Amino acid sequence: MTTEANVAGFEPLYGDAELTDGLLPWDIGGPQPVVEQLVAFGGIRGEVLDPGTGPGFHAIHYASQGFSVTGIDGSPSAIERARRNAERAGVTVDFQVADATQLNVLQPLLQDHRVHIVAKPS
């Protein structure tokens, strides 16, 4: 899958959600409970990469618990939304527009950031 395909599929959804301030079906307005439990039980160590970060709530939760986090998404509107959400939460997350389905995108992030955990519970 290419970045163009990801943007074509998700960018209009995030763009429309921005106009209506509506939630997308996978956006519950915060991290999924399993993400909160994973952190609470000590299941995360090291730096975190959140591929397909969307509105950034998982990445924001990890950051709020003291983890260094990079969140990537193919949708520029999703990344803008995630950055606003992180600012409101008072945390710092390195959000980047990138295609998480492309290994050439992930390799530099994994090497440069020494990411130990790739987190995307479903």
Side-chain angles (χ1 to χ4, degrees), residues 38-104:
L38 190 61
V39 172
F41 293 135
I44 300 292
R45 288 182 175 74
E47 298 179 32
V48 180
L49 173 62
D50 184 19
T53 196
F57 292 119
H58 294 166
I60 291 165
H61 182 69
Y62 296 129
S64 76
Q65 300 302 304
F67 293 98
S68 175
V69 185
T70 298
I72 61 174
D73 201 287
S75 167
S77 292
I79 292 297
E80 288 175 27
R81 186 178 216 180
R83 287 178 178 150
R84 285 195 306 273
N85 288 337
E87 185 177 337
R88 278 194 289 270
V91 298
T92 300
V93 177
D94 178 17
F95 287 114
Q96 300 179 25
V97 176
D99 184 350
T101 67
Q102 300 299 311
L103 185 57
N104 63 335

Coordinates of all heavy atoms in Angstrom, one line a residue, residues 38-104:
L38 N -2.3 -1.9 29.6 CA -1.0 -2.3 29.2 C 0.1 -1.5 29.9 O 1.1 -2.0 30.5 CB -0.8 -2.2 27.7 CG 0.4 -2.8 27.1 CD1 0.5 -4.3 27.3 CD2 0.4 -2.5 25.6
V39 N -0.1 -0.2 30.0 CA 0.8 0.7 30.7 C 0.7 0.4 32.2 O 1.7 0.3 32.9 CB 0.5 2.2 30.4 CG1 1.3 3.1 31.2 CG2 0.7 2.5 28.9
A40 N -0.5 0.3 32.7 CA -0.7 0.1 34.2 C 0.0 -1.1 34.7 O 0.5 -1.2 35.8 CB -2.2 0.1 34.5
F41 N 0.0 -2.2 33.9 CA 0.6 -3.5 34.3 C 2.1 -3.6 33.9 O 2.7 -4.6 34.1 CB -0.2 -4.6 33.6 CG -1.6 -4.8 34.1 CD1 -2.6 -5.0 33.3 CD2 -1.9 -4.7 35.5 CE1 -3.9 -5.1 33.7 CE2 -3.2 -4.8 36.0 CZ -4.2 -5.0 35.1
G42 N 2.7 -2.5 33.5 CA 4.1 -2.5 33.2 C 4.5 -3.2 31.9 O 5.6 -3.6 31.8
G43 N 3.5 -3.2 31.0 CA 3.8 -4.0 29.7 C 4.5 -3.2 28.7 O 4.8 -3.7 27.6
I44 N 4.9 -1.9 28.9 CA 5.6 -1.1 28.0 C 6.9 -0.7 28.6 O 7.0 -0.2 29.7 CB 4.8 0.2 27.7 CG1 3.4 -0.1 27.1 CG2 5.5 1.1 26.7 CD1 3.5 -0.7 25.7
R45 N 8.0 -0.8 27.8 CA 9.3 -0.4 28.2 C 10.0 0.2 27.0 O 9.7 -0.2 25.9 CB 10.1 -1.6 28.7 CG 9.6 -2.1 30.0 CD 10.5 -3.3 30.5 NE 10.1 -3.7 31.8 CZ 9.1 -4.4 32.1 NH1 8.2 -4.8 31.2 NH2 8.8 -4.8 33.3
G46 N 10.9 1.2 27.3 CA 11.6 1.8 26.2 C 10.8 2.9 25.5 O 9.8 3.4 26.0
E47 N 11.2 3.2 24.3 CA 10.6 4.2 23.5 C 9.4 3.6 22.7 O 9.5 2.4 22.4 CB 11.6 4.9 22.6 CG 12.6 5.6 23.5 CD 13.7 6.3 22.6 OE1 13.3 6.8 21.5 OE2 14.8 6.4 23.1
V48 N 8.4 4.3 22.4 CA 7.2 3.8 21.8 C 7.0 4.4 20.4 O 7.1 5.6 20.2 CB 6.0 4.0 22.6 CG1 4.7 3.5 22.0 CG2 6.2 3.5 24.0
L49 N 6.7 3.5 19.4 CA 6.3 3.9 18.1 C 4.8 3.6 18.0 O 4.4 2.4 18.1 CB 7.1 3.2 17.0 CG 6.7 3.5 15.6 CD1 6.8 4.9 15.2 CD2 7.5 2.6 14.6
D50 N 4.0 4.5 17.7 CA 2.5 4.3 17.5 C 2.2 4.5 16.0 O 1.9 5.6 15.6 CB 1.7 5.3 18.4 CG 0.2 5.0 18.3 OD1 -0.2 3.9 17.9 OD2 -0.5 5.9 18.6
P51 N 2.2 3.4 15.2 CA 1.9 3.5 13.8 C 0.4 3.6 13.6 O -0.4 3.0 14.3 CB 2.4 2.2 13.2 CG 2.4 1.2 14.3 CD 2.6 2.0 15.6
G52 N 0.0 4.5 12.6 CA -1.4 4.7 12.4 C -2.0 5.4 13.6 O -3.1 5.1 14.1
T53 N -1.3 6.4 14.1 CA -1.7 7.1 15.4 C -3.1 7.8 15.3 O -3.7 8.0 16.4 CB -0.6 8.1 15.8 OG1 -0.8 8.4 17.2 CG2 -0.5 9.3 14.9
G54 N -3.5 8.2 14.1 CA -4.8 8.9 14.0 C -4.8 10.1 14.9 O -3.9 11.0 14.8
P55 N -5.8 10.2 15.8 CA -5.9 11.4 16.6 C -4.9 11.5 17.8 O -4.8 12.4 18.5 CB -7.4 11.4 17.2 CG -7.7 9.9 17.1 CD -7.0 9.4 15.9
G56 N -4.1 10.4 17.9 CA -3.0 10.4 18.8 C -3.2 10.0 20.2 O -2.3 10.1 21.1
F57 N -4.4 9.5 20.6 CA -4.7 9.3 22.0 C -3.9 8.2 22.6 O -3.5 8.3 23.8 CB -6.2 9.0 22.1 CG -7.1 10.2 21.8 CD1 -8.0 10.1 20.8 CD2 -6.9 11.4 22.6 CE1 -8.8 11.2 20.6 CE2 -7.7 12.5 22.3 CZ -8.7 12.4 21.3
H58 N -3.5 7.2 21.9 CA -2.6 6.2 22.5 C -1.2 6.8 22.7 O -0.7 6.6 23.8 CB -2.4 5.0 21.5 CG -3.7 4.2 21.4 ND1 -3.9 3.3 20.4 CD2 -4.9 4.2 22.1 CE1 -5.1 2.7 20.5 NE2 -5.7 3.3 21.5
A59 N -0.7 7.5 21.7 CA 0.6 8.1 21.9 C 0.6 9.1 23.0 O 1.6 9.2 23.8 CB 1.0 8.8 20.6
I60 N -0.4 9.9 23.1 CA -0.6 10.9 24.2 C -0.6 10.2 25.6 O 0.1 10.7 26.5 CB -1.8 11.8 24.0 CG1 -1.6 12.6 22.7 CG2 -2.2 12.6 25.2 CD1 -2.8 13.3 22.2
H61 N -1.3 9.1 25.7 CA -1.3 8.4 26.9 C 0.1 7.8 27.3 O 0.5 8.0 28.5 CB -2.3 7.2 26.9 CG -2.4 6.5 28.2 ND1 -3.0 7.0 29.3 CD2 -2.0 5.2 28.5 CE1 -2.9 6.2 30.3 NE2 -2.3 5.1 29.9
Y62 N 0.8 7.2 26.3 CA 2.1 6.8 26.6 C 3.0 7.9 27.1 O 3.7 7.8 28.1 CB 2.8 6.1 25.4 CG 2.1 4.9 24.9 CD1 1.7 4.8 23.6 CD2 1.8 3.8 25.7 CE1 1.1 3.6 23.1 CE2 1.2 2.7 25.3 CZ 0.8 2.6 24.0 OH 0.2 1.4 23.5
A63 N 2.9 9.1 26.4 CA 3.7 10.2 26.8 C 3.4 10.7 28.2 O 4.2 11.1 28.9 CB 3.6 11.4 25.7
S64 N 2.1 10.7 28.5 CA 1.6 11.2 29.8 C 2.2 10.3 30.9 O 2.2 10.7 32.1 CB 0.1 11.3 29.9 OG -0.5 10.0 30.0
Q65 N 2.6 9.1 30.6 CA 3.1 8.2 31.6 C 4.7 8.2 31.5 O 5.3 7.3 32.2 CB 2.6 6.8 31.3 CG 1.1 6.7 31.4 CD 0.6 7.1 32.7 OE1 1.0 6.6 33.8 NE2 -0.3 8.1 32.8
G66 N 5.2 9.1 30.8 CA 6.7 9.3 30.8 C 7.5 8.7 29.7 O 8.7 8.7 29.7
F67 N 6.8 8.1 28.8 CA 7.5 7.4 27.7 C 7.8 8.4 26.6 O 7.0 9.4 26.3 CB 6.6 6.3 27.1 CG 6.4 5.1 28.0 CD1 5.3 5.0 28.8 CD2 7.4 4.2 28.2 CE1 5.1 4.0 29.7 CE2 7.3 3.1 29.0 CZ 6.1 3.0 29.8
S68 N 8.9 8.2 25.9 CA 9.2 9.0 24.7 C 8.5 8.3 23.5 O 8.6 7.1 23.3 CB 10.7 8.9 24.4 OG 11.1 9.5 23.2
V69 N 7.7 9.1 22.8 CA 6.8 8.5 21.8 C 6.9 9.2 20.4 O 7.0 10.4 20.4 CB 5.3 8.6 22.3 CG1 4.4 7.9 21.3 CG2 5.1 8.1 23.7
T70 N 6.9 8.4 19.4 CA 6.7 8.8 18.0 C 5.4 8.3 17.5 O 5.2 7.0 17.6 CB 7.9 8.4 17.1 OG1 9.1 8.9 17.6 CG2 7.7 8.8 15.7
G71 N 4.6 9.1 17.0 CA 3.3 8.7 16.3 C 3.3 9.0 14.9 O 3.7 10.2 14.5
I72 N 3.0 8.0 14.0 CA 3.0 8.3 12.6 C 1.6 8.0 12.0 O 0.9 7.1 12.5 CB 4.1 7.6 11.8 CG1 4.0 6.1 12.0 CG2 5.5 8.0 12.3 CD1 5.0 5.3 11.1
D73 N 1.3 8.7 11.0 CA 0.0 8.5 10.3 C 0.2 9.0 8.9 O 0.9 10.0 8.7 CB -1.1 9.2 11.0 CG -2.5 8.5 10.6 OD1 -3.0 8.8 9.5 OD2 -3.0 7.8 11.4
G74 N -0.5 8.4 7.9 CA -0.4 8.9 6.5 C -1.3 10.1 6.2 O -1.2 10.7 5.2
S75 N -2.1 10.5 7.2 CA -3.1 11.6 7.0 C -2.5 12.8 7.7 O -2.4 12.9 8.9 CB -4.4 11.2 7.6 OG -5.3 12.4 7.7
P76 N -2.2 13.9 6.9 CA -1.8 15.1 7.5 C -2.8 15.7 8.4 O -2.5 16.3 9.5 CB -1.6 16.0 6.3 CG -1.3 15.1 5.1 CD -2.1 13.9 5.4
S77 N -4.1 15.6 8.1 CA -5.2 16.1 9.0 C -5.2 15.3 10.3 O -5.4 15.9 11.4 CB -6.6 16.0 8.3 OG -6.6 16.9 7.2
A78 N -5.0 14.0 10.3 CA -4.9 13.3 11.5 C -3.7 13.7 12.4 O -3.9 13.9 13.6 CB -4.7 11.8 11.2
I79 N -2.6 14.0 11.8 CA -1.4 14.4 12.5 C -1.7 15.8 13.1 O -1.3 16.1 14.3 CB -0.1 14.4 11.6 CG1 0.2 12.9 11.3 CG2 1.0 15.1 12.3 CD1 0.6 12.1 12.5
E80 N -2.3 16.7 12.4 CA -2.6 18.0 12.9 C -3.5 17.9 14.1 O -3.4 18.5 15.1 CB -3.3 18.9 11.8 CG -2.4 19.4 10.7 CD -3.2 20.1 9.6 OE1 -4.3 20.7 9.9 OE2 -2.7 20.1 8.5
R81 N -4.5 17.0 14.0 CA -5.5 16.8 15.1 C -4.7 16.2 16.3 O -4.9 16.6 17.5 CB -6.5 15.8 14.6 CG -7.6 15.6 15.6 CD -8.7 14.7 15.0 NE -10.0 15.0 15.5 CZ -11.1 14.4 15.1 NH1 -11.1 13.5 14.3 NH2 -12.2 14.8 15.6
A82 N -3.8 15.2 16.1 CA -3.0 14.6 17.1 C -2.2 15.7 17.8 O -2.1 15.7 19.1 CB -2.2 13.5 16.6
R83 N -1.6 16.5 17.1 CA -0.7 17.6 17.7 C -1.5 18.5 18.6 O -1.1 18.9 19.7 CB 0.0 18.4 16.6 CG 1.1 17.6 15.9 CD 1.8 18.3 14.8 NE 2.9 17.6 14.3 CZ 3.3 17.6 13.0 NH1 2.7 18.5 12.1 NH2 4.3 16.9 12.6
R84 N -2.7 18.9 18.1 CA -3.6 19.7 19.0 C -4.0 19.0 20.2 O -4.0 19.5 21.3 CB -4.9 20.1 18.2 CG -4.6 21.2 17.2 CD -5.9 21.9 16.7 NE -6.8 20.9 16.1 CZ -6.8 20.5 14.9 NH1 -5.9 20.9 14.0 NH2 -7.8 19.6 14.5
N85 N -4.3 17.7 20.1 CA -4.7 16.9 21.3 C -3.6 16.8 22.3 O -3.8 16.9 23.5 CB -5.2 15.5 20.8 CG -6.5 15.5 20.1 OD1 -7.3 16.4 20.3 ND2 -6.8 14.5 19.3
A86 N -2.3 16.6 21.8 CA -1.2 16.5 22.7 C -0.9 17.8 23.4 O -0.6 17.9 24.5 CB 0.1 16.1 21.9
E87 N -1.1 18.9 22.6 CA -0.9 20.3 23.2 C -2.0 20.5 24.3 O -1.6 20.9 25.4 CB -1.1 21.3 22.2 CG -0.8 22.7 22.7 CD -0.8 23.8 21.6 OE1 -0.7 23.5 20.4 OE2 -1.1 25.0 22.0
R88 N -3.2 20.1 24.1 CA -4.3 20.2 25.1 C -3.9 19.3 26.3 O -4.2 19.7 27.5 CB -5.6 19.8 24.6 CG -6.3 20.9 23.8 CD -7.8 20.6 23.6 NE -8.0 19.5 22.6 CZ -8.1 19.7 21.3 NH1 -8.1 20.9 20.8 NH2 -8.3 18.7 20.5
A89 N -3.3 18.2 26.1 CA -3.0 17.3 27.2 C -1.7 17.7 27.9 O -1.4 17.1 29.0 CB -2.8 15.8 26.7
G90 N -0.9 18.6 27.3 CA 0.3 19.1 27.9 C 1.4 18.1 27.8 O 2.3 18.1 28.7
V91 N 1.5 17.3 26.8 CA 2.6 16.3 26.6 C 3.2 16.6 25.3 O 2.7 17.2 24.4 CB 2.1 14.9 26.7 CG1 1.5 14.6 28.0 CG2 1.1 14.6 25.6
T92 N 4.4 16.0 25.1 CA 5.2 16.1 23.9 C 5.3 14.8 23.2 O 5.7 13.8 23.9 CB 6.6 16.6 24.2 OG1 6.6 17.9 24.9 CG2 7.5 16.7 22.9
V93 N 4.8 14.7 22.0 CA 4.9 13.5 21.2 C 5.5 14.0 19.8 O 5.1 15.0 19.3 CB 3.5 12.9 20.9 CG1 3.6 11.7 20.0 CG2 2.9 12.5 22.3
D94 N 6.4 13.2 19.3 CA 6.9 13.4 17.9 C 6.0 12.8 16.9 O 6.0 11.7 16.6 CB 8.3 12.8 17.8 CG 8.9 13.0 16.4 OD1 8.4 13.9 15.7 OD2 9.9 12.3 16.1
F95 N 5.0 13.7 16.4 CA 4.1 13.2 15.4 C 4.6 13.5 14.0 O 5.1 14.6 13.8 CB 2.7 13.9 15.6 CG 1.9 13.4 16.8 CD1 1.7 14.3 17.8 CD2 1.4 12.1 16.8 CE1 0.9 13.8 18.9 CE2 0.7 11.7 17.9 CZ 0.4 12.5 18.9
Q96 N 4.5 12.5 13.1 CA 5.1 12.7 11.8 C 4.1 12.1 10.8 O 3.5 11.1 11.0 CB 6.4 11.9 11.6 CG 7.5 12.4 12.5 CD 8.8 11.6 12.3 OE1 9.0 11.0 11.3 NE2 9.6 11.5 13.4
V97 N 4.0 12.8 9.6 CA 3.2 12.2 8.5 C 4.1 11.2 7.8 O 5.2 11.5 7.3 CB 2.8 13.3 7.5 CG1 2.0 12.7 6.3 CG2 1.9 14.3 8.2
A98 N 3.7 9.9 7.8 CA 4.4 8.9 7.2 C 3.5 7.7 7.0 O 2.5 7.5 7.7 CB 5.6 8.5 8.1
D99 N 3.9 6.8 6.1 CA 3.1 5.6 5.8 C 3.7 4.4 6.6 O 4.8 3.9 6.3 CB 3.2 5.3 4.3 CG 2.4 4.1 3.8 OD1 1.8 3.4 4.7 OD2 2.2 4.0 2.6
A100 N 2.9 4.0 7.6 CA 3.4 2.9 8.5 C 3.5 1.6 7.8 O 4.0 0.6 8.3 CB 2.5 2.8 9.7
T101 N 2.9 1.5 6.6 CA 2.9 0.2 5.9 C 4.2 0.0 5.1 O 4.4 -1.1 4.5 CB 1.7 0.0 4.9 OG1 1.8 1.0 3.9 CG2 0.4 0.2 5.7
Q102 N 5.1 1.0 5.0 CA 6.3 1.0 4.2 C 7.5 0.8 5.2 O 7.8 1.6 6.0 CB 6.5 2.3 3.4 CG 5.3 2.5 2.5 CD 5.2 1.4 1.4 OE1 6.2 1.0 0.8 NE2 4.0 0.9 1.2
L103 N 8.2 -0.4 5.0 CA 9.3 -0.7 5.8 C 10.4 0.4 5.8 O 11.0 0.7 6.8 CB 9.9 -2.0 5.5 CG 11.0 -2.5 6.3 CD1 10.6 -2.6 7.8 CD2 11.5 -3.9 5.8
N104 N 10.6 1.0 4.6 CA 11.6 2.1 4.5 C 11.2 3.3 5.3 O 12.1 4.1 5.6 CB 11.8 2.5 3.0 CG 10.6 3.1 2.4 OD1 9.4 2.8 2.8 ND2 10.8 3.9 1.3

